[in-house]
Structure formats: C-alpha cells, structure tokens
C-alpha cells in the first residue's frame, strides 16, 4: 500500500490530503475521476467497475486518476486506475441535492455516482461529506472523507 498526495481541483479543505490506494483494471467504460467502483463479478481480483445499484456492497473505493480528456474524462474498459480506499478524496455525487458536512454516502442508481444514505440499511457506507453544498443538475465532484464501512445483510 502506498501513501501519496492526492491532486485536487480546489474543493478539498486544507489539511491532510493523504490517501491510501490500490491499482485496479476497469471492466466498463463508465469510470472517471471521482467514480465509486465496486469489485467486478469476475475471477480477477484486480478488476473494478461502476455500479447502478443503490446501496451496493463490495465497494472498493473512488477513482483518483484523471480520465481521457478527449473522451469526457472517461477511462476505456481495461484501463488501469488508482482507486482510493481511505482518506480525503473528490467523489462524484448526484446533482440537484443539498449535502451537509457529515452526510453519509452510498452508491446510487447512476453509474459510479454516490448519494446520501436513505433506507439502505445493508449498504456499504463509502464515507462522509466534507463540504456543505447544493449541487447543480448534473453529478458533481465534492470533497469526501473516504472510510468504507462494510455492512452485512
């Protein structure tokens, strides 16, 4: 496991920005910086993908690499990406929502995008919001304290 300084777009509060991460290979073409990824249902433990299941389990973390600028920031399927497992990161969240500091995040029905926890009692908790914000209409990057909590059914 390697500790590195995360690059950001100025959203993360000053302080400790260190994160721990692992490298995975994407198995879909919907991944980009800030995407929440889960373990792929393959025999390859180094594979990850986005999910469209609200309150999913098997969350691995959040992609911290920048995708292809000529492809809307997306990574091609099979790309190698760095996935943060802990620390402060920028995460994609649903648009049109007001977030408060401390809100707990889980996966949403939008591929790779997180949302505030609602009735997902057995969902993996991704982390907590680090900035108060009302997002625009589209998914948006916000600051998150990534602390994945695995929950059993």
């Amino acid at each position: 496991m390697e500790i590195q300084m995360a690059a950001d777009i100025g959203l993360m509060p000053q302080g400790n920005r260190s994160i721990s991460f692992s490298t995975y290979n994407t198995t879909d073409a919907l991944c980009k910086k800030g995407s929440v990824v889960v373990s792929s249902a393959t025999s390859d433990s180094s594979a990850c993908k986005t999910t469209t299941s609200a309150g999913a389990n098997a969350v691995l973390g959040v992609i911290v690499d920048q995708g292809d600028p000529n492809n809307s920031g997306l990574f091609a399927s099979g790309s190698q990406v760095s996935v943060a497992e802990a620390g402060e990161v920028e995460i994609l969240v649903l648009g049109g929502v007001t977030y408060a500091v401390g809100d707990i995040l889980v996966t949403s029905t939008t591929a790779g995008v997180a949302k505030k926890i609602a009735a997902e009692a057995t969902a993996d908790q991704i982390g907590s919001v680090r900035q108060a914000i009302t997002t625009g209409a589209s998914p948006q990057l916000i600051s998150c304290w990534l602390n994945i909590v695995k929950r059993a059914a």
Side-chain angles (χ1 to χ4, degrees):
M1 191 174 300
E2 186 176 337
I3 304 293
Q4 291 190 353
M5 183 77 72
D8 70 73
I9 59 173
L11 293 177
M12 298 192 317
Q14 294 299 314
N16 184 0
R17 296 181 184 195
S18 296
I19 58 173
S20 64
F21 66 89
S22 295
T23 303
Y24 292 91
N25 297 309
T26 62
T27 60
D28 67 27
L30 301 173
C31 296
K32 62 178 166 181
K33 180 179 178 158
S35 291
V36 178
V37 290
V38 297
S39 179
S40 289
T42 68
S43 59
D44 183 358
S45 65
S46 67
C48 71
K49 65 179 181 176
T50 59
T51 183
T52 55
S53 296
N57 296 110
V59 172
L60 295 173
V62 175
I63 295 177
V64 295
D65 294 332
Q66 196 69 40
D68 182 354
N70 297 316
N71 188 24
S72 302
L74 296 170
F75 290 95
S77 183
S79 296
Q80 193 172 59
V81 295
S82 296
V83 176
E85 300 162 332
E88 195 159 359
V89 298
E90 293 169 348
I91 188 169
L92 283 168
V93 293
L94 288 178
V97 177
T98 298
Y99 295 90
V101 173
D103 282 346
I104 302 298
L105 299 174
V106 296
T107 60
S108 73
T109 57
T110 303
V113 177
K115 71 178 197 86
K116 289 195 288 189
I117 193 167
E120 300 86 6
T122 61
D124 282 0
Q125 294 178 2
I126 300 164
S128 59
V129 173
R130 297 275 291 172
Q131 68 182 104
I133 189 168
T134 299
T135 56
S138 300
Q140 176 176 330
L141 286 171
I142 67 169
S143 181
C144 170
W145 183 253
L146 185 63
N147 182 27
I148 300 166
V149 176
K150 303 288 185 183
R151 306 211 34 210

